[in-house]
Amino acid sequence: MRSTGTYVTATTLGEAVRAFVPRALPPARPALAAESFAEANRSAELALARLSGVSGLVPSVDWLLYSAVRKEALLTSQIEGTQATLADLFDDEAGLALSNADDVAEVTNYLRAFRRVRAELHKPRGLPISVRLLRDAHRLLLDGVRGAGTQPGELRRSQNWIGGSRPGKAAFVPPPPEKVPALLADLERFIHDKAPTLPSLVRVALVHAQFETIHPFLDGNGRIGRLLIAALLEDWGLLPEPLLYLSGYLKQHQAEYYRRLSNVRTEGDWEGWLGFFLEGVQSAAGEAERGIVAVASLVSADRRRLLAAPKAGAVSLRLFEQLPMMPRFTIEQMRQKLDTTFPTATAAVKLLEDLGLVTELTGQKMNRSFSYAAYVDLLAR
């Protein structure tokens, strides 16, 4: 059996615990055997290539990014217990009243954190994937929400544990805080290795597992670790845009997700984790591909219905083109977006409502809000 780390004694809340300190990547003694992951890696890479290709089905990749990034934000937050839905997120963006604003804030914070990381990676002189950038993302993730009192943007300075009501009953105890900076420095070196010997997708899987084992923050480690997956997929050229919402697969197989990560530490089973991760990428890429086809079909069919309407004009067409990125809206928001008058925007919305393309949500005569309901339902499946 491969050893993936050592144990040291640490003390927290007056209890002595065995904290796990992982060895630096890549796995060694023995090294990963290429035949253990070659076929699964090839299938996953092929699925990502198909996903990249099918994005050309829609007129704007921004439509796809709008929904894909929000689905990932929602699902990664749901793994941690957040109860918000996709409709809640759209309502928040439309400025509508929410009953679970705290949960939605956690999701929108993830969006802010992810945008921050992507912005740096796309700048000519931006920050690379690094501890500094992940700390920036972590600060945004926990800003003003649950966990805001657990040192946002700071590496932990105390011993934490996972599972169990007290340290002595923990399912896993990460490395002591004084070990964290050196472990993260090793992880950075692995990420920026100029001559890697392993396929990129395999390296993404290794990085995520190692990050979760180090558990460098007091809170938010799971979400930052999954954000790291999305960032690496794009940064290493595995996807041209973050179209994959892998957290959907991880949420669906949450118990196995945690078990596979645990088995790396307890049994040295890197191969089992890689098999699970690569299968997840293939499955999630296929799901995203089918979602793109379904969205493209829906929007195309609805556009044809609008074009066939005798009263359809330039403003109603422009309004329709906004819907995939404004699926919940008020007339005033749409008026501002289209830079037109309120009566003109009202007439355009009424035409789409008469055609059954949008639905009024409030039942009121004033301050009404509307939904591109078929689109929202499709994304929420």
Side-chain angles (χ1 to χ4, degrees), residues 86-88 90 298 327-328 371-381:
L86 202 58
D88 292 332
F90 294 152
L298 173 69
R328 295 274 171 94
S371 174
Y372 186 11
Y375 176 80
V376 173
D377 291 346
L378 181 61
L379 293 183
R381 286 177 194 167

Side-chain angles (χ1 to χ4, degrees), residues 211-229:
F211 181 88
E212 296 304 326
T213 295
I214 297 169
H215 233 65
F217 302 113
L218 286 179
D219 193 16
N221 292 284
R223 283 166 289 173
I224 293 295
R226 290 186 290 274
L227 185 156
L228 187 53
I229 293 173

Side-chain angles (χ1 to χ4, degrees), residues 230-252:
L232 288 171
L233 288 175
E234 189 176 1
D235 196 47
W236 288 350
L238 290 157
L239 276 175
E241 308 276 2
L243 298 171
L244 187 76
Y245 30 97
L246 182 61
S247 289
Y249 182 87
L250 299 179
K251 180 175 181 285
Q252 187 180 355

Side-chain angles (χ1 to χ4, degrees), residues 106-121:
E106 293 188 8
V107 182
T108 55
N109 274 9
Y110 177 91
L111 288 170
R112 289 171 62 205
F114 187 52
R115 280 195 289 263
R116 163 81 173 123
V117 170
R118 286 195 79 216
E120 288 297 322
L121 296 180

Side-chain angles (χ1 to χ4, degrees), residues 205-380:
L206 298 181
V207 168
H208 176 71
Q210 189 80 339
F211 181 88
E212 296 304 326
T213 295
I214 297 169
H215 233 65
F217 302 113
L218 286 179
D219 193 16
N221 292 284
R223 283 166 289 173
I224 293 295
R226 290 186 290 274
L227 185 156
L228 187 53
I229 293 173
L232 288 171
L233 288 175
E234 189 176 1
D235 196 47
W236 288 350
L238 290 157
L239 276 175
E241 308 276 2
L243 298 171
L244 187 76
Y245 30 97
L246 182 61
S247 289
Y249 182 87
L250 299 179
K251 180 175 181 285
Q252 187 180 355
H253 301 88
Q254 193 166 342
E256 187 178 3
Y257 172 38
Y258 292 147
R259 183 173 67 84
R260 290 294 185 183
L261 287 174
S262 178
N263 286 352
V264 170
R265 303 153 189 157
T266 59
E267 301 173 20
D269 186 16
W270 278 111
E271 286 80 4
W273 162 249
L274 284 176
F276 171 77
F277 182 88
L278 294 170
E279 180 182 332
V281 170
Q282 182 180 354
S283 175
E287 182 74 22
E289 181 186 351
R290 289 188 291 275
I292 289 173
V293 172
V295 165
S297 299
L298 173 69
V299 173
S300 178
D302 286 348
R303 186 188 291 106
R304 285 196 300 271
R305 286 174 61 195
L306 178 58
L307 288 170
K311 294 182 180 179
V315 175
S316 58
L317 287 169
R318 285 172 55 216
L319 187 154
F320 179 80
E321 298 301 329
Q322 299 299 323
L323 293 182
M325 294 177 66
M326 289 182 69
R328 295 274 171 94
F329 63 93
T330 63
I331 293 178
E332 175 56 22
Q333 286 174 325
M334 201 57 86
R335 182 200 70 75
Q336 293 179 21
K337 192 73 176 178
L338 300 176
D339 191 23
T340 188
T341 65
F342 194 84
T344 300
T346 300
V349 171
K350 186 177 188 311
L351 174 60
L352 268 65
E353 185 181 14
D354 290 344
L355 291 171
L357 299 180
V358 301
T359 306
E360 205 283 316
L361 296 174
T362 65
Q364 302 171 358
K365 291 187 176 181
M366 302 287 291
N367 302 318
R368 294 183 301 161
S369 59
F370 296 82
S371 174
Y372 186 11
Y375 176 80
V376 173
D377 291 346
L378 181 61
L379 293 183

